[in-house]
């Protein structure tokens, strides 16, 4: 038998040994095994009888955000495709949360990790990446993160893990305890177990793609709504597919909203998009934090505003049911930005009017104005 034939099965794409690959996947799977599923929080609003709001609390992951799921999937996808070995430098373009989670998994595998991020990224996220041993490479222009990440990967002989391209394909949308399967499993004993709406934001587009595909695969009546910051391109593309890029995303909400339509964004599985002004997102961030007694990030506020818009429509039409959305990450990452009154004032953002509308909805069941 030729020497090359005897080596088949012992090496993986020339990148690493089969033994290292098996160990690496085992480490990630063991981490998953140690992590319980995230909580589903029921929020009873007395003035909206027959309509119940639920929050899927993704901040309880080990790295504190929804992106923990994505980072795990991206690492497994890269490993199983032979892209990563024991000396590979992992490089990512991120607005922060995905990089925090990827730094965690890179440390588990003893790999160098570099995050390319806008300089506007909150210092709390930067500190979290560094806590897990990651390196932060900050750029002035948020639109340049993609090219800079690829340049660094090429320069170091590393691998650009590229959440924006691979998010929708790295996650098994049919099940395997993805976020959609988890939601429906946890809703099974609730009064309205099949949600009328599930609401998600879009950063890479991977979460909305997973939710939309799973709902169709399981033939549920649930509809998927994506809440998108006013300054983002996604809602523009949803209306007009020829719009694929804007000069920049003007939103201050980190983690969602983009200046270009990312490859993982799948508009065909989305039933509705709600456009949310930043002031409304930040008002909702604070209001929902007070209601549940736990601080939330700005993207959670974006989701909540969209939920209450949908619930307002349900009230007007006399419809009953459940609405589920995501608590994306903890507010501790935004103490210096969106939860800081001085920062809001500096940005010229006034949240007083949307706060009043939200409080009136909660206290009196008064529907939000139609958008």
């Amino acid at each position: 038998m030729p020497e090359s034939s005897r080596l088949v099965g012992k090496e993986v794409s020339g990148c690493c040994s089969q033994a290292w690959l098996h160990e690496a996947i085992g480490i990630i799977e063991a981490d998953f095994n140690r992590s319980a599923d995230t909580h589903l929080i029921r929020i009873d609003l007395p003035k909206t009888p027959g309509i119940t709001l639920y929050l899927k609390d993704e901040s309880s992951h080990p790295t504190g955000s929804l992106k923990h799921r994505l980072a795990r999937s991206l690492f497994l996808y890269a490993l199983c495709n032979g892209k990563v070995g024991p000396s590979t430098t992992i490089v990512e373009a991120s607005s922060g949360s995905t990089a925090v989670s990827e730094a965690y998994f890179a440390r588990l595998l003893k790999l160098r990790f570099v995050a390319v991020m806008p300089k506007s990224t909150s210092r709390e996220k930067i500190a979290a990446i560094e806590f897990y041993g990651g390196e932060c490479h900050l750029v002035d222009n948020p639109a340049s993160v993609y090219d800079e990440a690829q340049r660094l990967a090429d320069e170091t002989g590393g691998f650009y893990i590229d959440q924006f391209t691979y998010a929708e394909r790295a996650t098994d949308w049919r099940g395997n305890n993805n976020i959609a399967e988890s939601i429906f499993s946890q809703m099974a004993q609730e009064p309205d177990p099949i949600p009328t709406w599930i609401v998600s934001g879009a950063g890479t587009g991977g979460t909305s793609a997973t939710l939309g595909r799973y709902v169709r695969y399981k033939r549920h009546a649930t509809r998927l709504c994506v809440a998108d910051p006013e300054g983002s391109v996604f809602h523009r593309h949803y209306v007009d597919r020829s719009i694929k890029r804007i000069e920049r995303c003007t939103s201050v909400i980190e983690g969602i909203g983009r200046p270009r339509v990312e490859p993982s964004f799948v508009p065909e599985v989305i039933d509705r998009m709600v456009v949310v002004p930043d002031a409304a997102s930040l008002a909702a961030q604070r209001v929902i934090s007070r209601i549940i007694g736990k601080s939330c990030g700005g993207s959670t506020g974006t989701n909540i505003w969209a939920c209450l818009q949908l619930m307002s429509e349900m009230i007007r039409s006399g419809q009953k049911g459940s609405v589920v959305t995501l608590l994306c990450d903890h507010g501790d990452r935004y103490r210096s930005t969106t939860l800081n009154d001085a920062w809001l004032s500096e940005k010229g953002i006034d949240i007083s009017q949307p706060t009043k509308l939200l409080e009136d909805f909660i206290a009196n069941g008064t529907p939000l104005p139609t958008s």
Side-chain angles (χ1 to χ4, degrees):
M1 181 180 294
E3 182 67 19
S4 59
S5 298
R6 289 200 298 272
L7 290 175
V8 170
K10 294 185 179 180
E11 300 295 324
V12 181
S13 300
C15 183
C16 63
S17 70
Q18 189 178 73
W20 184 87
L21 174 64
H22 289 180
E23 181 182 6
I25 292 173
I27 288 170
I28 293 176
E29 292 293 273
D31 176 78
F32 173 73
N33 232 21
R34 291 192 297 270
S35 304
D37 200 359
T38 58
H39 301 296
L40 186 68
I41 303 171
R42 175 174 171 152
I43 301 174
D44 292 305
L45 302 175
K47 299 300 181 179
T48 58
I51 306 174
T52 308
L53 176 63
Y54 296 84
L55 273 178
K56 179 69 167 160
D57 184 6
E58 294 293 286
S59 72
S60 57
H61 283 295
T63 55
S65 84
L66 166 67
K67 299 301 186 179
H68 193 84
R69 294 180 189 268
L70 173 59
R72 181 196 295 126
S73 295
L74 288 168
F75 267 83
L76 289 173
Y77 187 79
L79 286 164
C80 293
N81 279 285
K83 303 297 184 181
V84 174
S87 59
T88 305
T89 296
I90 305 297
V91 183
E92 181 62 288
S94 175
S95 58
S97 286
T98 302
V100 173
S101 299
E102 288 174 337
Y104 170 89
F105 285 105
R107 187 173 75 169
L108 283 181
L109 302 181
K110 298 180 173 58
L111 300 176
R112 182 189 178 199
F113 176 76
V114 181
V116 180
M117 302 183 298
K119 284 186 176 176
S120 58
T121 303
S122 73
R123 63 172 179 259
E124 291 87 351
K125 285 183 180 178
I126 293 170
I129 292 164
E130 292 174 343
F131 173 80
Y132 290 120
E135 303 166 34
C136 298
H137 182 88
L138 304 179
V139 298
D140 291 313
N141 180 8
S144 70
V145 293
Y146 317 97
D147 291 341
E148 186 64 5
Q150 187 62 67
R151 184 191 70 78
L152 285 175
D154 293 341
E155 185 179 277
T156 61
F159 177 62
Y160 174 24
I161 202 164
D162 195 0
Q163 60 169 322
F164 298 105
T165 295
Y166 297 110
E168 57 90 11
R169 68 191 75 171
T171 301
D172 184 354
W173 51 268
R174 296 173 188 82
N176 194 21
N177 198 39
N178 66 34
I179 192 167
E181 184 177 61
S182 178
I183 287 171
F184 280 93
S185 174
Q186 290 176 318
M187 284 292 295
Q189 303 302 316
E190 298 301 310
D192 295 291
I194 304 300
T196 303
W197 288 99
I198 292 179
V199 176
S200 168
T204 63
T207 299
S208 59
T210 298
L211 290 165
R213 288 164 170 171
Y214 183 86
V215 165
R216 283 158 176 73
Y217 179 60
K218 292 296 184 179
R219 294 172 288 178
H220 291 311
T222 301
R223 289 183 289 172
L224 174 65
C225 173
V226 167
D228 198 36
E230 196 170 45
S232 171
V233 73
F234 290 127
H235 63 270
R236 295 172 170 85
H237 177 72
Y238 186 74
V239 173
D240 181 352
R241 297 293 200 271
S242 69
I243 300 174
K244 297 181 179 180
R245 187 183 290 268
I246 54 178
E247 184 176 348
R248 66 189 182 96
C249 178
T250 57
S251 175
V252 300
I253 309 301
E254 292 184 23
I256 58 172
R258 303 297 301 172
R260 73 170 195 182
V261 178
E262 304 298 352
S264 287
F265 182 67
V266 184
E268 291 81 7
V269 303
I270 298 167
D271 299 294
R272 173 86 172 271
M273 294 199 78
V274 171
V275 183
V276 184
D278 282 356
S281 293
L282 302 184
Q285 174 188 13
R286 297 183 180 211
V287 169
I288 195 62
S289 294
R290 289 198 294 269
I291 289 174
I292 67 173
K294 179 175 184 175
S295 183
C296 305
S299 57
T300 301
T302 308
N303 289 342
I304 290 296
W305 182 268
C307 285
L308 299 194
Q309 285 279 3
L310 296 170
M311 292 169 70
S312 295
E313 294 177 6
M314 293 170 71
I315 291 169
R316 291 190 183 97
S317 64
Q319 187 179 8
K320 310 297 182 183
S322 57
V323 178
V324 180
T325 193
L326 310 179
L327 194 168
C328 305
D329 60 359
H330 199 284
D332 283 350
R333 294 179 175 178
Y334 307 96
R335 294 296 177 193
S336 66
T337 56
T338 58
L339 289 175
N340 184 306
D341 289 342
W343 186 89
L344 287 184
S345 178
E346 180 186 322
K347 296 292 183 183
I349 300 174
D350 181 4
I351 64 172
S352 58
Q353 183 182 17
T355 298
K356 185 178 183 303
L357 292 171
L358 291 165
E359 290 174 343
D360 198 20
F361 179 94
I362 291 160
N364 305 310
T366 305
L368 297 181
T370 55
S371 56

